[in-house]
Amino acid sequence: MPIMTESKGHQHPISLAISDIIGIFGSMGFEVAEGPEAESEYYNFDTLNIPKHHPARDMWDTFWLKSKPTEEDPSTSLGAGKNAKQLLRTHTSPVQVRYMESHKPPFRIIAPGKVYRYEATDATHEAQFYQLEGLVVGKNISLAHLKGTLETFFSKFFGAASTVRMRPSYFPFVEPGVEVDVSCFRCAGEAGKQCSVCKGTGWIEIMGAGLVHPKVLEGAGIDPHEWSGFAFGAGIDRLLVLRHGLPDVRLLYSGDLRVTDQF
Ligand code: YSA
């Protein structure tokens, strides 16, 4: 008689990666924060020092929502003078502001969650994907704290000792802003052009980050003369694609069991 094997369900690779990430940051004292996916323009842009008509808004192609905000929904009843126009959040950075408004520093949080962008898809871009936001606010926080935190995270996530380097970059909600590169976890720069991960550069471009802009702290009710902080934002899908050498980010959303069963 043929033996019938039962196929068991399991968590999706992205859910597994998020559990991993929460565990690693949890061991460094980070709590998990959440925010709504249907967000207001006020939190997605205005409070992050990105005024209307500012060219920086072009960095985030936006799906706007038609629905009118209702009084019952606390995420949309913003009060007089606040911009309640609704959208699908384009990044997890609004969670930073929501958290700062309702908590007193010091704190350290991560906010993993789904975000949406009105853009064409390709091997490295999806129209919906996951981001990981990080925020630390305390006394005398510097880029050195950011570097140490990320080196610990990458070493554990990629399973190889990691070094971080920063290059100047621009995001309206941080000053200074940086682009973070991590040393190649596959070859540490030794495999030359053969390395499929770093292509011989020894570095992988991985996320945006910086020191929280004083205007953002102040707008959220935190005195920037007393407190400072760092923040970062990475694509979880991209971290996963890198770690497992997937050829196309869209495979993660294809529903193809030949892909997801490998995790
Ligand atoms: C920057 C500074 C901070 O202090 C805090 C957060 C940030 C990140 C900022 N909010 C942001 O969204 N930057 S980003 O537009 O460059 O996206 C961050 C990461 O999301 C990228 O590095 C990439 O890994 C991922 N990403 C962006 N568009 C994507 C995507 N992943 C998949 N598909 C897309 N379409």
Side-chain angles (χ1 to χ4, degrees), residues 9-248:
H10 56 81
Q11 284 192 62
H12 189 274
I14 292 178
S15 307
L16 292 169
I18 290 175
S19 304
D20 254 18
I21 290 167
I22 291 174
I24 297 170
F25 278 101
S27 71
M28 293 190 270
F30 282 70
E31 312 232 326
V32 177
E34 287 183 342
E37 288 176 24
E39 185 51 281
S40 61
E41 184 177 10
Y42 176 72
Y43 281 111
N44 196 82
F45 290 124
D46 303 354
T47 58
L48 289 164
N49 197 27
I50 319 171
K52 244 197 170 76
H53 309 304
H54 191 286
R57 286 208 181 187
D58 295 345
M59 288 162 80
W60 294 280
D61 292 314
T62 308
F63 285 113
W64 294 95
L65 298 177
K66 279 191 187 145
S67 57
K68 291 265 181 304
T70 62
E71 276 309 312
E72 302 84 63
D73 179 351
S75 71
T76 58
S77 53
L78 289 170
K82 294 186 176 169
N83 188 346
K85 210 170 150 201
Q86 293 286 288
L87 46 78
L88 291 178
R89 69 178 176 191
T90 57
H91 52 174
T92 40
S93 298
V95 184
Q96 284 188 34
V97 181
R98 288 181 174 276
Y99 193 89
M100 287 194 279
E101 281 182 349
S102 55
H103 294 80
K104 285 200 181 334
F107 45 70
R108 34 185 118 168
I109 54 153
I110 53 164
K114 198 182 268 186
V115 303
Y116 304 82
R117 300 234 178 134
Y118 183 49
E119 58 185 35
T121 71
D122 62 26
T124 52
H125 294 85
E126 256 295 359
Q128 57 163 50
F129 56 100
Y130 282 81
Q131 278 191 342
L132 169 68
E133 195 77 14
L135 171 70
V136 169
V137 177
K139 302 269 180 181
N140 302 315
I141 296 294
S142 72
L143 288 179
H145 296 109
L146 170 68
K147 186 170 190 285
T149 305
L150 292 179
E151 284 180 348
T152 304
F153 168 64
F154 292 134
S155 301
K156 293 189 177 170
F157 187 80
F158 291 124
S162 298
T163 312
V164 155
R165 77 174 184 189
M166 297 175 194
R167 291 173 285 114
S169 186
Y170 173 71
F171 296 96
F173 32 93
V174 281
E175 181 56 39
V178 294
E179 193 66 44
V180 174
D181 298 341
V182 65
S183 52
C184 181
F185 60 90
R186 184 70 41 80
C187 79
E190 272 153 29
K193 295 220 160 48
Q194 272 96 314
C195 179
S196 59
V197 179
C198 72
K199 312 278 185 289
T201 63
W203 295 98
I204 310 163
E205 197 179 310
I206 216 140
M207 60 166 69
L211 295 183
V212 185
H213 198 294
K215 271 190 175 174
V216 174
L217 289 171
E218 203 164 22
I222 293 176
D223 182 356
H225 301 291
E226 193 182 348
W227 302 98
S228 53
F230 70 69
F232 58 84
I236 294 180
D237 316 54
R238 295 239 182 116
L239 292 173
L240 203 56
V241 159
L242 276 170
R243 186 168 76 172
H244 299 282
L246 287 172
D248 193 316

